[in-house]
Amino acid sequence: MPQLSHTTRRAVARSREEPNRFARDLFGRLPERYDVLEEVLSFGQNRRWRTAMVDAVVAGHPATVLDVATGTAGVALALADRTNARVVGVDLTEEMLRGGIRRVTARGRDGRISLAAARAEQLPFRDATFDALTFTYLLRYVADPAATLAELARVVRPGGVVSSLEFGVPPPPVWRPAWRLYTRAVLPVAGLLSGGRAWARVGSFLGPSIEEHYRTYPVEKHVAMWTGAGLEDVRVRPMSLGGGLVMSGRRRHG
Ligand SMILES: C[S@@+](CC[C@H](N)C(=O)[O-])C[C@H]1O[C@@H](n2cnc3c(N)ncnc32)[C@H](O)[C@@H]1O
């Protein structure tokens, strides 16, 4: 197994020390080919995971949905395709949002989807504004995941659904070493070949960042953070041998 380079170790440390700035630096360079490359880097699984996350929202027939960390609006578009809701997408990185606006306009969805810059840690909405909320690949980029979850839950009405997608770490003994090999040896090269240096950087960072995140916040801790944020009926669905993790819950009444 190749050792982590100094650059990768430093990137993982920075993502924890100054997460907002790190995320802006990282994602500010990616919007060009983001939608193709996220499929490459997830081994073609991102689409399935996203569908499972959106399924949890569709069933509740929401009139309004907030998609946090919307990036180039892939989830917001899926929500608009599969519900009649008005969708608001927010993200920290303006370059990603600009890519999102182009896609939403090209798909003729600008009447149903609006996109705006905002931080998940401090949402510019009143309590209980939305019927449902989704967030994707977010919690590795915030300093305090429990506080961020509480902020996300705050803007959802009681009984409304919160649904999320994050990368996961497959279990030992067989799949963990295979996943490590893939993330450490294949991803950086796949990133470089398909998207150049910026994507090689993401490819090298992703595996170590995911592992570090679950060392600090194992899945049971995620469930406890969701419950602590005022969410109930919390469900965890590992997908693709644990490489993806879809979670959902409902905002508690009272
Ligand atoms: C991997 S991308 C996911 C984009 C999109 N949801 C998707 O699935 O295609 C993660 C996004 O999270 C955003 N992000 C990171 N930290 C954030 C924060 N604190 N508040 C809002 N967005 C954040 C990044 O700018 C980036 O666009």
Side-chain angles (χ1 to χ4, degrees), residues 88-111:
V88 177
V90 294
D91 200 283
L92 184 71
T93 309
E94 300 209 356
E95 291 86 344
M96 292 291 273
L97 283 173
R98 278 201 284 276
I101 290 166
R102 281 196 294 274
R103 279 180 92 191
V104 167
T105 309
R107 287 272 308 274
R109 284 293 196 195
D110 33 347

Side-chain angles (χ1 to χ4, degrees), residues 19-20 23-24 27 34-35 38 46 50 67-75 90-93 96 118-121 136-138 141-142 165:
N20 285 172
R24 274 200 197 98
F27 290 103
Y34 182 82
D35 310 298
E38 76 177 344
N46 176 65
R50 180 185 284 175
D67 180 43
V68 179
T70 197
T72 52
V75 174
V90 294
D91 200 283
L92 184 71
T93 309
M96 292 291 273
R119 296 171 62 234
E121 295 90 329
T136 319
Y137 306 129
L138 169 70
Y141 301 105
V142 300
L165 164 59

Side-chain angles (χ1 to χ4, degrees), residues 118-231:
R119 296 171 62 234
E121 295 90 329
Q122 200 172 16
L123 293 169
F125 306 107
R126 293 196 186 149
D127 294 359
T129 300
F130 295 95
D131 292 329
L133 181 147
T134 50
F135 67 93
T136 319
Y137 306 129
L138 169 70
L139 295 181
R140 282 179 299 112
Y141 301 105
V142 300
D144 185 343
T148 302
L149 274 164
E151 175 63 359
L152 302 180
R154 178 186 70 74
V155 301
V156 178
R157 68 160 169 77
V161 170
V162 175
S163 186
S164 77
L165 164 59
E166 298 282 347
F167 288 109
V169 181
V174 177
W175 297 117
R176 174 87 44 96
W179 177 87
R180 262 199 199 132
L181 190 66
Y182 177 69
T183 55
R184 302 300 196 276
V186 180
L187 266 189
V189 178
L192 182 67
L193 294 179
S194 50
R197 282 181 55 189
W199 278 94
R201 193 172 156 223
V202 181
S204 307
F205 163 75
L206 218 44
S209 158
I210 296 165
E211 261 191 276
E212 168 76 12
H213 179 73
Y214 286 99
R215 259 196 297 278
T216 316
Y217 306 103
V219 174
E220 313 81 66
K221 205 159 173 176
H222 277 251
V223 174
M225 291 191 294
W226 278 58
T227 309
L231 297 163

